[in-house]
Amino acid sequence: MKLMHLSDLHLGKRVNEFSMLEDQRYILNQILELARREQVDGVLIAGDVYDKSVPSAEAVSLLDDFLVALAEDGRQVLLISGNHDSPERMAFGGRLMRSSGIHIAPVYNGRVEPVCLEDQYGPVRVYLLPFVKPAHIRRYFPDAAIECYTDALRIAVEAMNPDPGLRNLLVTHQFVTGAARCDSEELSLGGSDNVDGAVFDPFDYVALGHIHSPQRVGRETMRYCGTPLKYSFSEIGQKKSATLIQLGPKGQVEVSTRPLVPLRDMAQLRGSYQQLALREFYEGCGHRQDYLHLVLTDEEDVPDAAAKLRVIYPWLMKLSYDNQRTRAGMALPAEQAAPPQSPLELLEEFYRLQNGQSMSDQQRQLARQMMEKIWEGEV
């Protein structure tokens, strides 16, 4: 059985006020052609299908076209909601779609019934676990000791009780400890959403969503496929791809990737305003159809520089300066800069400045618990 792993489509997303709908339609059509060429049996979509919990009509239409095309090709689709999606809206009509091979995870209710697929080696059970927080799990397991995301996901997996003699796959949307983030992702309280990847050991393959950079986490068969498109300039150096999973008998899983080529890539150009404004520079830069971040090295700000340069570079997304003034504003060189502080660390620093002493362990624990409750929407 061959499956394709996708995630974090973020349909309807805007990047620096540019709508990505045209780019998303282009890449979804490319994915459809790839699925046909590779003759995949099914597509796993690991959450953040939309960019907003209430998506635009255009984004909904785009997903509809994609799912219909996959169904018409006879491919199974297994889809979960992510932290950007509304699980209720994503699940609407899910039971009706099963007959067409579209399997959408229902709102989490303490049980996860696997979708059963079949090939020449027997059954494959695919468990669809949408994005959950500890508060969601506590609601259905009130007697369980759940202090963090790892505890919550361990309880959820134990409740699934996957048969170790069968091939079991998990599609979920969480931040597994050790994964590398980038700027286009939504950050949480100082790593409070970290999940120890060991809780997913019962599964032969774990199709992860949430992190936008393609990568393995811990083992080759626990992977983030990454976004199909670049959604921030921190991703310029990335090569986007679709992940393919070839399942053999129990214990045999082969993972490979296929490149995805965007309609418009992202690039950064650097120079003075006069250099960048030269038509010869523009014609020879090789990025005429890319989304651009222009870095001006002029010592003085150029009035209306972005508007003027956008006449030459129609896909200019971002303009910034790198000169003595901007560098002087940096407290430390990049290589010496302290890592960003978590909300709890910022609160501790504020408390120390206000009270002339550090927080006690009891105060720190209380602050952490309150922050987690706020993050989970309990207060």
Side-chain angles (χ1 to χ4, degrees):
M1 180 180 297
K2 182 183 282 188
L3 301 171
M4 180 184 289
H5 172 194
L6 304 171
S7 77
D8 296 270
L9 306 180
H10 287 279
L11 301 181
K13 187 175 182 66
R14 300 182 70 85
V15 179
N16 293 303
E17 300 308 314
F18 279 74
S19 170
M20 302 299 288
L21 279 168
E22 183 185 8
D23 304 77
Q24 291 169 336
R25 183 175 296 279
Y26 180 90
I27 209 69
L28 290 182
N29 286 335
Q30 190 175 137
I31 289 168
L32 286 171
E33 290 303 316
L34 176 62
R36 292 166 185 149
R37 189 165 62 251
E38 293 288 339
Q39 299 182 325
V40 302
D41 301 293
V43 177
L44 313 176
I45 305 178
D48 278 359
V49 178
Y50 296 121
D51 193 55
K52 296 180 179 179
S53 59
V54 183
S56 66
E58 293 83 0
V60 174
S61 177
L62 186 53
L63 178 64
D64 182 58
D65 291 343
F66 183 56
L67 295 181
V68 167
L70 288 171
E72 289 178 344
D73 286 347
R75 309 191 198 288
Q76 299 290 309
V77 179
L78 302 100
L79 181 153
I80 65 169
S81 56
N83 58 298
H84 279 254
D85 302 309
S86 163
E88 294 81 8
R89 289 185 175 88
M90 286 299 308
F92 176 78
R95 287 173 291 181
L96 293 173
M97 295 185 201
R98 288 176 195 163
S99 60
S100 298
I102 308 296
H103 307 274
I104 300 177
V107 178
Y108 184 76
N109 63 2
R111 301 187 306 276
V112 177
E113 297 297 331
V115 176
C116 294
L117 307 178
E118 192 91 19
D119 66 6
Q120 67 267 37
Y121 300 109
V124 175
R125 293 188 173 180
V126 185
Y127 293 80
L128 304 179
L129 179 63
F131 175 73
V132 290
K133 298 178 180 180
H136 299 144
I137 309 299
R138 291 190 196 107
R139 187 176 307 151
Y140 299 101
F141 301 93
D143 297 327
I146 299 175
E147 299 296 332
C148 62
Y149 273 74
T150 295
D151 293 340
L153 271 295
R154 181 181 294 111
I155 295 297
V157 169
E158 289 175 354
M160 296 178 201
N161 193 28
D163 185 338
L166 298 178
R167 291 171 296 169
N168 301 296
L169 276 60
L170 177 68
V171 184
T172 192
H173 191 91
Q174 300 290 159
F175 175 53
V176 177
T177 304
R181 295 189 189 264
C182 59
D183 289 349
S184 59
E185 295 149 13
E186 187 174 285
L187 302 180
S188 69
L189 288 173
S192 66
D193 59 348
N194 283 15
V195 177
D196 186 340
V199 304
F200 302 132
D201 283 350
F203 299 98
D204 297 85
Y205 183 85
V206 183
L208 294 166
H210 195 35
I211 299 300
H212 292 184
S213 307
Q215 59 193 283
R216 54 175 283 184
V217 187
R219 56 183 165 104
E220 186 64 25
T221 53
M222 182 161 61
R223 300 182 67 90
Y224 289 101
C225 61
T227 54
L229 292 171
K230 298 173 184 179
Y231 289 137
S232 77
F233 286 100
S234 67
E235 301 169 55
I236 285 178
Q238 291 183 17
K239 299 295 183 182
K240 296 299 185 178
S241 60
T243 299
L244 297 179
I245 309 112
Q246 181 73 56
L247 298 176
K250 175 71 175 180
Q252 293 185 19
V253 182
E254 295 181 8
V255 180
S256 59
T257 60
R258 299 292 183 272
L260 295 175
V261 181
L263 176 64
R264 284 178 283 271
D265 206 346
M266 282 188 166
Q268 178 176 293
L269 300 178
R270 176 188 176 88
S272 69
Y273 175 82
Q274 289 299 329
Q275 288 174 322
L276 295 177
L278 288 173
R279 178 67 62 175
E280 291 81 1
F281 183 91
Y282 166 63
E283 296 289 346
C285 72
H287 298 289
R288 296 171 61 183
Q289 296 302 315
D290 291 342
Y291 291 120
L292 292 176
H293 173 200
L294 299 185
V295 181
L296 298 184
T297 56
D298 301 84
E299 289 301 326
E300 299 294 331
D301 288 359
V302 178
D304 299 320
K308 293 174 182 176
L309 288 169
R310 196 163 278 127
V311 174
I312 303 172
Y313 303 93
W315 306 108
L316 171 58
M317 269 192 172
K318 182 179 179 181
L319 180 75
S320 62
Y321 285 84
D322 181 18
N323 52 34
Q324 291 183 6
R325 174 177 54 80
T326 58
R327 287 193 294 271
M330 300 178 187
L332 289 171
E335 64 272 14
Q336 299 178 24
Q341 291 178 290
S342 70
L344 181 58
E345 291 169 334
L346 291 170
L347 178 61
E348 288 185 81
E349 183 177 336
F350 178 75
Y351 182 92
R352 186 163 50 249
L353 291 172
Q354 289 291 310
N355 298 281
Q357 60 182 11
S358 299
M359 295 172 67
S360 66
D361 290 341
Q362 184 177 5
Q363 289 172 320
R364 190 176 297 106
Q365 181 64 21
L366 177 61
R368 183 187 299 276
Q369 290 173 353
M370 288 299 297
M371 286 180 174
E372 289 178 353
K373 285 182 179 180
I374 293 168
W375 176 255
E376 293 170 17
E378 292 185 339
V379 294

